[in-house]
Structures are given as structure tokens and as C-alpha cells.
Amino acid sequence: MKDANLTLKAHTEHQTLVNISPSVTVGGDDLLIVGGPCTVESLEQMQQVATHLASAPVQALRGGVYKPRTSPYAFQGHGEAGLRILDEVRQAWQVPVVSEVMAIHQIESMLAHVDVLQVGSRNMQNFDLLRALGQTDKPILLKRGLAATIEEFVMAAEYIVSHGNPNVMLCERGIRSFDTYTRNVLDLGAVVALKQLSHLPVIVDPSHAAGKRELVPNLAKAAIAAGADGLIIECHPVPEASVSDARQALSLEDMVTLVHSLRPIAAAVGRRIPEAGSIRQPVLV
Ligand code: PEP
Ligand code: MN
């Protein structure tokens, strides 16, 4: 294991750039916009998402196949079958995909099918999982724990980086507080602090912070203004019918509108949303 504090800016001059595909790099001037459903439900659903979001444009798609549900009786995700759906869409549309890994035994098959492994909030301090991910070279999207301090968050990233994987993106997704009107409290102060403290890209997830779709667009804008390197946003062909997190899902049309509305905000803070996304027309379906 290498020295501690590898993620802290004081220890390095550079800003970490994470390549999630040959054409998509996170942490530079270009913002990363990721869109897609909470859960991969079917091939048709993911095909509709890819087709529609090509015009957003987004740089990557999201979709969970292993779902950390509060209730053990709720749908837990399609697992391996969901991975095959993701991979089919990823190859046909030539778009990188992000999906959550919940356990060490899932890593190996996920490495072959996805471009970014997401560590969910509930697993931010699953140190065995973090160590195992540190032994891969896959880009990791590490979400902040529901009640994690900024220091705990940075130290969780440190587990991955210190075990050999520098390709870590931090994701602020809201923290628990007393108010139930919003699902969580989006901590934009943490975004500013993490950008000053650490050299890792910082991504914001306004969907899980807000919990309500009507709050998502303005939180997304605020996140870009605060210096985030990207956004991960839940959207669905029929939002109300989403098998999980339906209340916070945007329609695909609203996702496209949102991405366009972010351009002037990005420009105002010296960032850019690439004109063309990374989704190509399918070569085979
Ligand atoms: C998700 O991205 O669908 C998810 C479960 O996120 P979080 O871990 O932030 O709750
Ligand atoms: Mn979700």
C-alpha cells in the first residue's frame, strides 16, 4: 500500500483526469453528464433511453442491476441479465455505462460489461469492497455515505486510490437531515470543499438529493455553478412507472431540455458540455 493522503491536493499539483472511455474524460473543461434510469428494467427501456439521450447529449448512461433496496421484498435488480442488457446497449450505441457494484463477488463480471463501477451511498465505508476495487483499474464513482463527513468521504476514496486505482470520482448525492420534504440535503458546500481539498473529479447527483423531479433541474444548475465536474441524473421513458425511485425520475424529454439549459451556466464558470454526446447511432441491435 502507498502513503496516505493520495487524494488530497496538498500532496499533488495535478487535477486527476479519469478516462471512462476512449472519448470521454472527466475532470477537465468538459463536463460529464450521465443519464438513465435508477434500475435497468428491460432491453427496450434502455434502448429508448439511449436513442433519446443521444440528443441531450449525455456522455454516459446509468442503470442499476444490483439494487440496494431498503426493503428486502422490493425488486433487487436483474443482476447478470441486467448486465447483458447494459452491455448490449453500450456496444450498439458505443456509449459508456455506469452501474452499481454492491459486493466483491460481482466485480469480475461487471468489469467486462460496464465502464464505471458505482459504489452506492450505503457501501461508502465497505472497506473490503473499496480495497478490492483499488485492485482494479476501472473508473469508480464513489457516492458519499448518507451521513458521512467530508473527511470520511475523502478517506473512503483514499482506500481505493491507496490500493492502486487512481481512477476515482467523488459523488455528492445529498446527506440525511431532519427535513423530509427533500429526500436528502444536497451539500453544495461539500462540492466546493472537495474541489479545494482533493484533486479528484466531483460529480453531483441531484436526483437522490432531491427525491422529487421538479427540484432536480435547478439543483443541477446550482451544482455546475458550484464547480462540479459533472452530473448523474435519473430519467426514464415513463417516469411514473419506474420500478424504483419513480418520484425523482425526469422524463427523457425533460432530461434533454435540462442538458441544454445547463450550457450557459457551464460557460459562465469556464466549463463546457460537448456539442456531441458520446452516443452514436446503433450499429447493431
Ligand atoms: C442509485 O444511484 O440508484 C442509488 C441507489 O444511489 P445512492 O447510493 O446515492 O442512494
Ligand atoms: Mn436510484
Side-chain angles (χ1 to χ4, degrees):
M1 199 179 107
K2 298 178 204 157
D3 289 347
N5 297 334
L6 292 165
T7 65
L8 297 180
K9 249 188 187 138
H11 292 253
T12 175
E13 295 286 296
H14 77 280
Q15 161 70 32
T16 291
L17 299 178
V18 177
N19 295 315
I20 69 168
S21 78
S23 60
V24 181
T25 299
V26 190
D29 288 347
D30 287 355
L31 298 174
L32 173 75
I33 312 290
V34 184
C38 182
T39 298
V40 172
E41 297 167 20
S42 67
L43 178 60
E44 296 67 38
Q45 171 216 30
M46 292 307 295
Q47 288 171 332
Q48 278 179 280
V49 170
T51 304
H52 219 101
L53 296 191
S55 65
V58 300
Q59 284 71 50
L61 299 182
R62 63 151 288 149
V65 302
Y66 299 109
K67 295 304 301 177
R69 305 304 300 280
T70 300
S71 164
Y73 308 112
F75 180 61
Q76 305 284 307
H78 280 306
E80 292 273 341
L83 279 183
R84 287 193 292 276
I85 292 173
L86 271 182
D87 208 1
E88 190 164 336
V89 170
R90 169 194 193 227
Q91 292 195 38
W93 273 266
Q94 299 281 294
V95 60
V97 296
V98 182
S99 198
E100 176 165 351
V101 60
M102 287 180 60
I104 293 176
H105 69 86
Q106 295 160 355
I107 294 176
E108 196 177 323
S109 61
M110 292 191 81
L111 287 178
H113 297 298
V114 309
D115 302 278
V116 177
L117 294 175
Q118 171 177 319
V119 176
S121 232
R122 291 152 192 83
N123 266 320
M124 188 203 83
Q125 285 188 316
N126 180 340
F127 298 120
D128 282 346
L129 179 62
L130 301 179
R131 279 191 200 95
L133 293 170
Q135 284 155 18
T136 74
D137 59 4
K138 245 330 158 193
I140 308 295
L141 184 75
L142 177 65
K143 290 190 139 193
R144 183 179 182 184
L146 308 172
T149 65
I150 290 172
E151 185 177 352
E152 287 164 342
F153 189 19
V154 170
M155 282 299 136
E158 197 77 24
Y159 264 88
I160 304 171
V161 175
S162 67
H163 282 79
N165 184 355
N167 302 310
V168 179
M169 295 168 274
L170 302 171
C171 179
E172 163 58 38
R173 45 76 74 202
I175 47 175
R176 276 253 163 105
S177 187
F178 53 86
D179 199 333
T180 52
Y181 185 80
T182 53
R183 186 176 181 183
N184 291 289
V185 174
L186 182 61
D187 186 0
L188 289 179
V191 175
V192 177
L194 289 165
K195 288 296 294 175
Q196 291 177 7
L197 270 174
S198 140
H199 51 82
L200 300 175
V202 178
I203 308 298
V204 168
D205 173 348
S207 305
H208 290 86
K212 293 180 172 162
R213 67 178 63 83
E214 62 273 25
L215 301 178
V216 169
N218 283 355
L219 289 178
K221 289 177 190 159
I224 299 304
D229 295 294
L231 296 166
I232 180 165
I233 297 176
E234 288 186 346
C235 50
H236 191 286
V238 189
E240 304 74 19
S242 304
V243 303
S244 57
D245 288 347
R247 184 65 184 84
Q248 69 199 33
L250 296 182
S251 67
L252 300 179
E253 294 76 15
D254 285 349
M255 179 68 184
V256 174
T257 304
L258 170 57
V259 175
H260 287 292
S261 75
L262 293 172
R263 283 189 196 286
I265 317 277
V269 292
R271 309 298 286 273
R272 212 171 39 194
I273 296 172
E275 278 306 323
S278 59
I279 302 185
R280 311 230 181 97
Q281 287 312 305
V283 284
L284 58 102
V285 180

